[in-house]
mmCIF file of all heavy atoms in Angstrom:
data_model
loop_
_atom_site.group_PDB
_atom_site.id
_atom_site.type_symbol
_atom_site.label_atom_id
_atom_site.label_comp_id
_atom_site.label_asym_id
_atom_site.label_seq_id
_atom_site.Cartn_x
_atom_site.Cartn_y
_atom_site.Cartn_z
ATOM 1 N N LYS H 1 -158.143 -47.446 33.754
ATOM 2 C CA LYS H 1 -158.579 -47.505 35.181
ATOM 3 C C LYS H 1 -159.907 -48.190 35.290
ATOM 4 O O LYS H 1 -160.711 -48.259 34.334
ATOM 5 C CB LYS H 1 -158.636 -46.026 35.768
ATOM 6 C CG LYS H 1 -157.232 -45.451 35.910
ATOM 7 C CD LYS H 1 -157.322 -44.126 36.649
ATOM 8 C CE LYS H 1 -155.970 -43.457 36.816
ATOM 9 N NZ LYS H 1 -156.049 -42.235 37.599
ATOM 10 N N GLN H 2 -160.177 -48.575 36.479
ATOM 11 C CA GLN H 2 -161.512 -49.214 36.725
ATOM 12 C C GLN H 2 -162.589 -48.162 36.881
ATOM 13 O O GLN H 2 -162.378 -47.061 37.251
ATOM 14 C CB GLN H 2 -161.405 -49.993 38.088
ATOM 15 C CG GLN H 2 -162.507 -50.929 38.277
ATOM 16 C CD GLN H 2 -162.262 -51.841 39.559
ATOM 17 O OE1 GLN H 2 -161.367 -51.535 40.343
ATOM 18 N NE2 GLN H 2 -163.119 -52.878 39.714
ATOM 19 N N ARG H 3 -163.754 -48.678 36.402
ATOM 20 C CA ARG H 3 -164.961 -47.740 36.539
ATOM 21 C C ARG H 3 -165.198 -47.464 38.024
ATOM 22 O O ARG H 3 -165.131 -48.355 38.866
ATOM 23 C CB ARG H 3 -166.174 -48.382 35.854
ATOM 24 C CG ARG H 3 -167.386 -47.570 35.913
ATOM 25 C CD ARG H 3 -168.592 -48.303 35.353
ATOM 26 N NE ARG H 3 -168.872 -49.545 36.146
ATOM 27 C CZ ARG H 3 -169.659 -50.469 35.679
ATOM 28 N NH1 ARG H 3 -170.314 -50.416 34.482
ATOM 29 N NH2 ARG H 3 -169.881 -51.585 36.381
ATOM 30 N N GLU H 4 -165.507 -46.223 38.402
ATOM 31 C CA GLU H 4 -165.743 -45.850 39.740
ATOM 32 C C GLU H 4 -167.069 -45.133 39.918
ATOM 33 O O GLU H 4 -167.452 -44.391 38.991
ATOM 34 C CB GLU H 4 -164.630 -45.074 40.318
ATOM 35 C CG GLU H 4 -164.481 -43.764 39.712
ATOM 36 C CD GLU H 4 -163.466 -42.837 40.451
ATOM 37 O OE1 GLU H 4 -163.171 -43.079 41.677
ATOM 38 O OE2 GLU H 4 -162.925 -41.932 39.859
ATOM 39 N N LEU H 5 -167.681 -45.398 41.074
ATOM 40 C CA LEU H 5 -168.916 -44.659 41.370
ATOM 41 C C LEU H 5 -168.581 -43.247 41.822
ATOM 42 O O LEU H 5 -167.798 -43.048 42.730
ATOM 43 C CB LEU H 5 -169.702 -45.430 42.453
ATOM 44 C CG LEU H 5 -170.994 -44.759 42.929
ATOM 45 C CD1 LEU H 5 -172.001 -44.633 41.904
ATOM 46 C CD2 LEU H 5 -171.484 -45.554 44.171
ATOM 47 N N VAL H 6 -169.224 -42.271 41.242
ATOM 48 C CA VAL H 6 -168.959 -40.874 41.573
ATOM 49 C C VAL H 6 -169.976 -40.311 42.495
ATOM 50 O O VAL H 6 -169.630 -39.713 43.527
ATOM 51 C CB VAL H 6 -168.956 -40.056 40.286
ATOM 52 C CG1 VAL H 6 -168.735 -38.520 40.598
ATOM 53 C CG2 VAL H 6 -167.838 -40.456 39.353
ATOM 54 N N ALA H 7 -171.227 -40.549 42.179
ATOM 55 C CA ALA H 7 -172.266 -39.950 43.007
ATOM 56 C C ALA H 7 -173.578 -40.747 42.811
ATOM 57 O O ALA H 7 -173.851 -41.296 41.765
ATOM 58 C CB ALA H 7 -172.505 -38.522 42.748
ATOM 59 N N THR H 8 -174.491 -40.736 43.847
ATOM 60 C CA THR H 8 -175.769 -41.401 43.761
ATOM 61 C C THR H 8 -176.754 -40.531 44.377
ATOM 62 O O THR H 8 -176.550 -39.894 45.417
ATOM 63 C CB THR H 8 -175.724 -42.706 44.500
ATOM 64 O OG1 THR H 8 -174.774 -43.671 43.896
ATOM 65 C CG2 THR H 8 -177.067 -43.406 44.447
ATOM 66 N N VAL H 9 -178.016 -40.475 43.739
ATOM 67 C CA VAL H 9 -179.160 -39.813 44.391
ATOM 68 C C VAL H 9 -180.207 -40.902 44.425
ATOM 69 O O VAL H 9 -180.601 -41.535 43.432
ATOM 70 C CB VAL H 9 -179.578 -38.573 43.618
ATOM 71 C CG1 VAL H 9 -179.938 -38.881 42.177
ATOM 72 C CG2 VAL H 9 -180.791 -37.937 44.386
ATOM 73 N N PHE H 10 -180.703 -41.151 45.656
ATOM 74 C CA PHE H 10 -181.704 -42.199 45.895
ATOM 75 C C PHE H 10 -183.151 -41.681 45.577
ATOM 76 O O PHE H 10 -183.288 -40.496 45.296
ATOM 77 C CB PHE H 10 -181.529 -42.682 47.286
ATOM 78 C CG PHE H 10 -180.261 -43.370 47.491
ATOM 79 C CD1 PHE H 10 -179.137 -42.630 48.023
ATOM 80 C CD2 PHE H 10 -180.088 -44.724 47.291
ATOM 81 C CE1 PHE H 10 -177.921 -43.268 48.191
ATOM 82 C CE2 PHE H 10 -178.841 -45.335 47.535
ATOM 83 C CZ PHE H 10 -177.782 -44.659 47.949
ATOM 84 N N THR H 11 -184.058 -42.547 45.693
ATOM 85 C CA THR H 11 -185.417 -42.126 45.270
ATOM 86 C C THR H 11 -186.005 -41.095 46.175
ATOM 87 O O THR H 11 -186.865 -40.277 45.777
ATOM 88 C CB THR H 11 -186.291 -43.408 45.240
ATOM 89 O OG1 THR H 11 -186.290 -44.090 46.543
ATOM 90 C CG2 THR H 11 -185.883 -44.356 44.199
ATOM 91 N N GLY H 12 -185.540 -41.075 47.469
ATOM 92 C CA GLY H 12 -186.046 -40.140 48.402
ATOM 93 C C GLY H 12 -185.253 -38.798 48.370
ATOM 94 O O GLY H 12 -185.655 -37.900 49.185
ATOM 95 N N GLY H 13 -184.244 -38.738 47.524
ATOM 96 C CA GLY H 13 -183.459 -37.458 47.453
ATOM 97 C C GLY H 13 -182.143 -37.523 48.143
ATOM 98 O O GLY H 13 -181.374 -36.582 47.978
ATOM 99 N N ALA H 14 -181.818 -38.488 49.064
ATOM 100 C CA ALA H 14 -180.619 -38.550 49.694
ATOM 101 C C ALA H 14 -179.474 -38.781 48.656
ATOM 102 O O ALA H 14 -179.708 -39.441 47.587
ATOM 103 C CB ALA H 14 -180.550 -39.697 50.722
ATOM 104 N N THR H 15 -178.310 -38.283 49.030
ATOM 105 C CA THR H 15 -177.141 -38.339 48.036
ATOM 106 C C THR H 15 -175.949 -38.937 48.700
ATOM 107 O O THR H 15 -175.765 -38.708 49.937
ATOM 108 C CB THR H 15 -176.856 -36.969 47.429
ATOM 109 O OG1 THR H 15 -176.530 -36.087 48.439
ATOM 110 C CG2 THR H 15 -178.020 -36.427 46.609
ATOM 111 N N THR H 16 -175.054 -39.503 47.988
ATOM 112 C CA THR H 16 -173.784 -39.916 48.351
ATOM 113 C C THR H 16 -172.752 -39.657 47.323
ATOM 114 O O THR H 16 -173.073 -39.513 46.171
ATOM 115 C CB THR H 16 -173.722 -41.467 48.754
ATOM 116 O OG1 THR H 16 -174.013 -42.238 47.477
ATOM 117 C CG2 THR H 16 -174.685 -41.867 49.767
ATOM 118 N N TYR H 17 -171.492 -39.439 47.797
ATOM 119 C CA TYR H 17 -170.401 -39.011 46.852
ATOM 120 C C TYR H 17 -169.134 -39.836 47.130
ATOM 121 O O TYR H 17 -168.862 -40.197 48.337
ATOM 122 C CB TYR H 17 -170.139 -37.535 46.972
ATOM 123 C CG TYR H 17 -171.289 -36.651 46.637
ATOM 124 C CD1 TYR H 17 -172.165 -36.235 47.616
ATOM 125 C CD2 TYR H 17 -171.456 -36.253 45.328
ATOM 126 C CE1 TYR H 17 -173.280 -35.426 47.317
ATOM 127 C CE2 TYR H 17 -172.537 -35.386 45.010
ATOM 128 C CZ TYR H 17 -173.391 -35.005 46.010
ATOM 129 O OH TYR H 17 -174.438 -34.237 45.684
ATOM 130 N N ALA H 18 -168.357 -40.033 46.103
ATOM 131 C CA ALA H 18 -167.012 -40.533 46.328
ATOM 132 C C ALA H 18 -166.229 -39.483 47.050
ATOM 133 O O ALA H 18 -166.395 -38.252 46.900
ATOM 134 C CB ALA H 18 -166.339 -40.839 44.975
ATOM 135 N N ASP H 19 -165.287 -39.942 47.877
ATOM 136 C CA ASP H 19 -164.432 -38.990 48.578
ATOM 137 C C ASP H 19 -163.727 -38.013 47.753
ATOM 138 O O ASP H 19 -163.525 -36.846 48.095
ATOM 139 C CB ASP H 19 -163.467 -39.774 49.521
ATOM 140 C CG ASP H 19 -164.124 -40.458 50.674
ATOM 141 O OD1 ASP H 19 -165.245 -40.084 51.030
ATOM 142 O OD2 ASP H 19 -163.481 -41.284 51.265
ATOM 143 N N SER H 20 -163.345 -38.421 46.560
ATOM 144 C CA SER H 20 -162.607 -37.618 45.631
ATOM 145 C C SER H 20 -163.310 -36.412 45.103
ATOM 146 O O SER H 20 -162.733 -35.542 44.632
ATOM 147 C CB SER H 20 -162.019 -38.504 44.539
ATOM 148 O OG SER H 20 -163.114 -39.093 43.793
ATOM 149 N N VAL H 21 -164.625 -36.486 45.216
ATOM 150 C CA VAL H 21 -165.426 -35.390 44.620
ATOM 151 C C VAL H 21 -166.287 -34.625 45.615
ATOM 152 O O VAL H 21 -166.929 -33.690 45.225
ATOM 153 C CB VAL H 21 -166.336 -35.927 43.514
ATOM 154 C CG1 VAL H 21 -165.534 -36.666 42.442
ATOM 155 C CG2 VAL H 21 -167.534 -36.736 43.987
ATOM 156 N N LYS H 22 -166.259 -35.083 46.875
ATOM 157 C CA LYS H 22 -166.991 -34.407 47.897
ATOM 158 C C LYS H 22 -166.636 -32.860 47.952
ATOM 159 O O LYS H 22 -165.462 -32.556 47.992
ATOM 160 C CB LYS H 22 -166.842 -35.115 49.222
ATOM 161 C CG LYS H 22 -167.606 -36.359 49.384
ATOM 162 C CD LYS H 22 -167.326 -36.918 50.753
ATOM 163 C CE LYS H 22 -168.082 -38.301 50.967
ATOM 164 N NZ LYS H 22 -167.828 -38.878 52.289
ATOM 165 N N GLY H 23 -167.649 -32.082 48.037
ATOM 166 C CA GLY H 23 -167.439 -30.646 48.123
ATOM 167 C C GLY H 23 -167.238 -29.980 46.798
ATOM 168 O O GLY H 23 -167.303 -28.732 46.731
ATOM 169 N N ARG H 24 -167.144 -30.772 45.737
ATOM 170 C CA ARG H 24 -166.982 -30.179 44.396
ATOM 171 C C ARG H 24 -168.040 -30.512 43.403
ATOM 172 O O ARG H 24 -168.380 -29.799 42.631
ATOM 173 C CB ARG H 24 -165.629 -30.675 43.813
ATOM 174 C CG ARG H 24 -164.381 -30.268 44.639
ATOM 175 C CD ARG H 24 -163.126 -30.622 43.851
ATOM 176 N NE ARG H 24 -162.981 -31.996 43.603
ATOM 177 C CZ ARG H 24 -162.917 -32.527 42.349
ATOM 178 N NH1 ARG H 24 -162.861 -31.784 41.281
ATOM 179 N NH2 ARG H 24 -162.735 -33.827 42.165
ATOM 180 N N PHE H 25 -168.615 -31.736 43.580
ATOM 181 C CA PHE H 25 -169.703 -32.229 42.676
ATOM 182 C C PHE H 25 -170.992 -32.267 43.465
ATOM 183 O O PHE H 25 -171.022 -32.531 44.648
ATOM 184 C CB PHE H 25 -169.409 -33.626 42.188
ATOM 185 C CG PHE H 25 -168.254 -33.729 41.204
ATOM 186 C CD1 PHE H 25 -167.332 -32.648 40.972
ATOM 187 C CD2 PHE H 25 -168.033 -34.852 40.532
ATOM 188 C CE1 PHE H 25 -166.264 -32.767 40.129
ATOM 189 C CE2 PHE H 25 -166.985 -34.978 39.667
ATOM 190 C CZ PHE H 25 -166.110 -33.980 39.399
#
């Protein structure tokens, strides 16, 4: 499978998540 982005935390502390892991990671 292709590499996928799971989660990111930015320099200011904001975070983003892949839909597949939201609420779990």
Side-chain angles (χ1 to χ4, degrees):
K1 294 186 177 181
Q2 192 173 13
R3 182 183 62 191
E4 66 173 336
L5 176 62
V6 176
T8 299
V9 57
F10 296 90
T11 56
T15 58
T16 60
Y17 298 91
D19 288 341
S20 59
V21 306
K22 285 181 179 177
R24 300 188 299 119
F25 290 11

